[in-house]
Amino acid sequence: MPSLVDTRISNAKFSLPYTPVAVFVGGTSGIGEAMVKALASYLDGNIHLFIVGRNKAAAETTLASLPRPEGVKREFLHCDAFLMRNIVATCNELKKRVPNGKINFLVLSPGYIRAAGRNETEEGLDKVLVIRYYCRFKFIGGLLPVLQQAKERGEDAVVMTMLGTGMMNVSVDRDDLGLRKKYRIWNAALKPAVYNDVMIEEYAKQNPGIGFVHISPGQVKTSSPNELYESLWGPLKLLALLLRLRYWLYGIQPEECAEYMLYALLDRPKESGWSRRDDLGDDIGMKCYNISEEDKTAVWEHSVAETSV
């Protein structure tokens, strides 16, 4: 369990003999934005950075604040990640734009949580499940060729999905993976955690040499508790208010969380190619990951089918 000071010292020592390419999906605010700034700072700006999201003004403000040596790229790509077809288009555009046709670091941290019941996109997927899982699955699949290119050059190739692993045992209902039969906000919030675990394990098996990380950021002072509060009503609103209070009292700032997230991102992947990390960046092994191989296969096949466009 590294201290914040030790984590910062470790991150500051990170250096590369090449100029890496990093793509942040959801890097326009909160932890993602803080990671962009910290990574650029530690590398003295010697990194090509691409932010994918919807808030162009926020992304451009962030990118403009970074050190920028001559020749490095700083770009924003707009993407409404609620729709799989938009993700396909964005991945295709990224593959054209990234220098040397490679991506070294892909960080996925989009956020969305609402309690208004199932709310489907025009492609028939629930919006909460899309942002917490399906869009991540689609981005990784779409960008595998440029991650492979980084690996083939002998460089780092790492994917990080930031959600919530190892916090509790979550079962898999093979008859309702898309939550079309029994939709509850707590299912929509919790099921994607185990889906993300299955995702990184399977992607790692299929793509040796690329590192895959699922990490839990813990309690961080971002806008998520406020968004949940605004979408609730009645007694549930009181519960959300208590959640907001807890985050205010015990949560850490995004800049502090970003240090631990970077620590995990920059740690070389273990032999299996995938790892699950807690909010301090420590490897938690198989904690609270007890689903069967049949469940894993069902989740993977469901994911492929639901995200196909």
Side-chain angles (χ1 to χ4, degrees), residues 130-248:
V130 166
I131 297 303
R132 296 174 72 83
Y133 177 61
Y134 294 127
C135 80
R136 301 163 190 242
F137 185 92
K138 195 66 173 177
F139 269 113
I140 296 172
L143 295 175
L144 275 175
V146 280
L147 288 159
Q148 290 282 3
Q149 179 63 20
K151 183 198 74 171
E152 290 171 6
R153 293 168 63 93
E155 300 176 0
D156 290 87
V158 183
V159 176
M160 171 178 281
T161 179
M162 198 182 306
L163 190 61
T165 188
M167 295 187 293
M168 64 178 67
N169 286 302
V170 179
S171 63
V172 169
D173 183 352
R174 282 183 246 168
D175 293 325
D176 193 23
L177 291 168
L179 303 185
R180 287 184 166 86
K181 300 176 182 177
K182 298 178 182 178
Y183 189 92
R184 298 289 186 274
I185 185 57
W186 49 86
N187 278 340
L190 295 176
K191 295 293 186 183
V194 72
Y195 294 175
N196 272 261
D197 284 337
V198 173
M199 174 183 74
I200 65 163
E201 180 182 6
E202 187 59 32
Y203 269 130
K205 288 178 181 177
Q206 296 181 14
N207 300 275
I210 298 177
F212 294 88
V213 180
H214 180 195
I215 192 164
S216 175
Q219 297 182 78
V220 186
K221 295 178 180 177
T222 66
S223 62
S224 293
N226 296 333
E227 292 171 355
L228 178 60
Y229 174 78
E230 295 300 330
S231 70
L232 287 169
W233 60 92
L236 291 177
K237 210 170 187 71
L238 176 60
L239 291 176
L241 184 61
L242 294 175
L243 179 63
R244 290 173 73 182
L245 179 61
R246 179 181 176 86
Y247 270 68
W248 184 80

Side-chain angles (χ1 to χ4, degrees), residues 11-309:
N11 291 341
K13 291 179 179 178
F14 184 75
S15 63
L16 293 170
Y18 56 86
T19 302
V21 177
V23 174
F24 287 81
V25 178
T28 58
S29 64
I31 305 166
E33 177 192 4
M35 287 184 71
V36 169
K37 291 179 177 178
L39 186 57
S41 175
Y42 285 130
L43 293 176
D44 297 320
N46 292 303
I47 181 171
H48 302 290
L49 286 165
F50 295 79
I51 295 178
V52 177
R54 293 190 293 175
N55 192 333
K56 180 179 180 180
E60 290 184 342
T61 298
T62 297
L63 294 173
S65 71
L66 307 177
R68 187 172 183 175
E70 184 177 354
V72 298
K73 285 191 172 187
R74 302 276 187 268
E75 295 190 19
F76 168 76
L77 283 81
H78 181 273
C79 180
D80 180 352
F82 284 117
L83 298 177
M84 298 300 108
R85 64 171 179 267
N86 293 344
I87 296 172
V88 172
T90 301
C91 288
N92 289 338
E93 188 62 27
L94 274 168
K95 286 183 280 191
K96 296 175 186 176
R97 294 195 192 185
V98 293
N100 300 311
K102 67 170 186 176
I103 290 176
N104 301 99
F105 303 108
L106 172 60
V107 179
L108 303 148
S109 63
Y112 180 82
I113 187 71
R114 293 290 187 277
R118 185 178 178 87
N119 184 9
E120 291 190 354
T121 70
E122 60 188 73
E123 293 174 341
L125 301 176
D126 175 66
K127 287 186 174 183
V128 174
L129 291 180
V130 166
I131 297 303
R132 296 174 72 83
Y133 177 61
Y134 294 127
C135 80
R136 301 163 190 242
F137 185 92
K138 195 66 173 177
F139 269 113
I140 296 172
L143 295 175
L144 275 175
V146 280
L147 288 159
Q148 290 282 3
Q149 179 63 20
K151 183 198 74 171
E152 290 171 6
R153 293 168 63 93
E155 300 176 0
D156 290 87
V158 183
V159 176
M160 171 178 281
T161 179
M162 198 182 306
L163 190 61
T165 188
M167 295 187 293
M168 64 178 67
N169 286 302
V170 179
S171 63
V172 169
D173 183 352
R174 282 183 246 168
D175 293 325
D176 193 23
L177 291 168
L179 303 185
R180 287 184 166 86
K181 300 176 182 177
K182 298 178 182 178
Y183 189 92
R184 298 289 186 274
I185 185 57
W186 49 86
N187 278 340
L190 295 176
K191 295 293 186 183
V194 72
Y195 294 175
N196 272 261
D197 284 337
V198 173
M199 174 183 74
I200 65 163
E201 180 182 6
E202 187 59 32
Y203 269 130
K205 288 178 181 177
Q206 296 181 14
N207 300 275
I210 298 177
F212 294 88
V213 180
H214 180 195
I215 192 164
S216 175
Q219 297 182 78
V220 186
K221 295 178 180 177
T222 66
S223 62
S224 293
N226 296 333
E227 292 171 355
L228 178 60
Y229 174 78
E230 295 300 330
S231 70
L232 287 169
W233 60 92
L236 291 177
K237 210 170 187 71
L238 176 60
L239 291 176
L241 184 61
L242 294 175
L243 179 63
R244 290 173 73 182
L245 179 61
R246 179 181 176 86
Y247 270 68
W248 184 80
L249 290 173
Y250 302 108
I252 63 175
Q253 294 296 332
E255 293 76 15
E256 183 176 340
C257 177
E259 296 290 344
Y260 293 114
M261 301 299 101
L262 275 182
Y263 176 79
L265 179 71
L266 304 179
D267 189 23
R268 295 299 187 273
K270 59 184 183 180
E271 187 176 345
S272 68
W274 65 285
S275 63
R276 303 162 69 240
R277 307 282 182 131
D278 64 16
D279 56 339
L280 298 180
D282 288 328
D283 193 324
I284 62 171
M286 303 299 284
K287 177 184 176 183
C288 297
Y289 186 44
N290 305 308
I291 67 171
S292 68
E293 292 301 316
E294 291 79 8
D295 286 341
K296 293 176 185 179
T297 298
V299 170
W300 181 264
E301 292 178 349
H302 165 83
S303 306
V304 172
E306 291 291 89
T307 61
S308 297
V309 291

